Amino acid sequence: MNGNLATRALEWLLRRVLVGPPLRAWLRLRVEGAEHIPATGPVIIASNHLSFVDSMVIPLAAGRKVGFLGKAEYVQGTGLRGWLKRLWFAEFGGMIPVDRSDARAAARSLEVAEEHLASGGAFGIYPEGTRSRDGLLRKGRTGVGRLALASGAPVVPCALVGTDRAQPVDTRGIRPARVTVTFAPPVDVAALEAQYVKGRLLRAITDEVMDAIAERSGQQRSTEFAARPGAGTPLG
């Protein structure tokens, strides 16, 4: 068996046997609106962000591999340790590495996301830009609108509830908790294009996404953007 086949086999084993089912049970995962996620083809899943574990929960709920932009250092390293990190974050977690120390990373991230969608992949994005530390749903950044228009892929809002209890910010390990993932109907981008142009269109798409998330997550909203943990946050 060559390297690529072995990696795919291990990914399947992790997702379908060793990690996926036990994690679903540990989190008592409940999924609503799964019919809004196409089984194949490009789709943008735009979600609130409460925990590091969000990027593992969303693919489990969606029933397909979902790509997320992440720090390149998560998949760097040599030897067995480096290989295991790449298997866990990139193959199982679907992470697409981006070097955030590069000033051009933010601009390049849109291209990377477009390429992933053009290949028929599902792509996950957090419009808030970073995890919420106080539970508030922050104002969405318009990267999701730019990506929707650039790719033509449908945008499905996603509301997570309970992942902050499963793995609070700045903690390790996943605690038993009840987690609910709700997918909303896709945003009607065409209808918004008929009403708005340029910057107003990007804001209208983003606001539609955030409204749908707020309705389903029950979070209190903030009119402020989340403070970025560092410069060059992709798709911000």
Side-chain angles (χ1 to χ4, degrees):
M1 182 180 291
N2 64 37
N4 286 337
L5 284 176
T7 298
R8 286 200 295 270
L10 282 171
E11 177 203 337
W12 183 92
L13 193 63
L14 286 169
R15 189 177 301 278
R16 302 294 184 182
V17 180
L18 297 178
V19 177
L23 185 56
R24 290 181 70 100
W26 188 248
L27 298 177
R28 290 176 284 170
L29 184 63
R30 177 181 179 184
V31 181
E32 300 176 355
E35 68 274 11
H36 299 306
I37 301 294
T40 60
V43 62
I44 300 167
I45 301 176
S47 177
N48 57 333
H49 199 9
L50 300 170
S51 169
F52 185 80
V53 78
D54 293 346
S55 298
M56 296 180 185
V57 169
I58 290 172
L60 285 178
R64 58 183 294 190
K65 191 172 182 178
V66 180
F68 291 88
L69 297 181
K71 296 178 182 178
E73 54 261 41
Y74 287 148
V75 294
Q76 292 172 345
T78 58
L80 179 61
R81 180 182 176 85
W83 179 78
L84 287 173
K85 286 171 64 177
R86 286 187 288 276
L87 180 66
W88 178 257
F89 287 107
E91 299 303 327
F92 175 71
M95 198 194 84
I96 303 169
V98 173
D99 183 3
R100 295 189 180 184
S101 65
D102 184 347
R104 297 169 295 180
R108 171 62 180 153
S109 64
L110 179 62
E111 297 175 14
V112 171
E114 283 184 63
E115 291 167 3
H116 184 77
L117 290 163
S119 71
F123 184 79
I125 183 172
Y126 301 114
E128 293 171 278
T130 189
R131 284 169 283 176
S132 174
R133 291 180 171 271
D134 55 13
L136 294 177
L137 183 66
R138 303 290 177 176
K139 185 176 180 179
R141 299 180 185 276
T142 57
V144 63
R146 286 187 283 127
L147 183 58
L149 294 176
S151 67
V155 184
V156 175
C158 171
L160 301 173
V161 176
T163 55
D164 53 335
R165 295 188 295 275
Q167 189 177 35
V169 176
D170 297 330
T171 66
R172 293 180 179 272
I174 303 174
R175 306 171 184 179
R178 184 180 298 279
V179 170
T180 300
V181 182
T182 305
F183 298 109
V187 172
D188 191 344
V189 174
L192 295 174
E193 285 184 287
Q195 301 177 59
Y196 304 100
V197 295
K198 298 183 178 179
R200 290 186 177 181
L201 175 58
L202 297 179
R203 173 48 56 193
I205 295 171
T206 304
D207 287 348
E208 285 275 339
V209 167
M210 301 311 292
D211 288 347
I213 292 173
E215 180 181 345
R216 291 161 178 82
S217 71
Q219 289 171 277
Q220 182 178 344
R221 301 184 71 171
S222 170
T223 58
E224 303 294 327
F225 290 113
R228 294 188 180 188
T233 301
L235 296 182

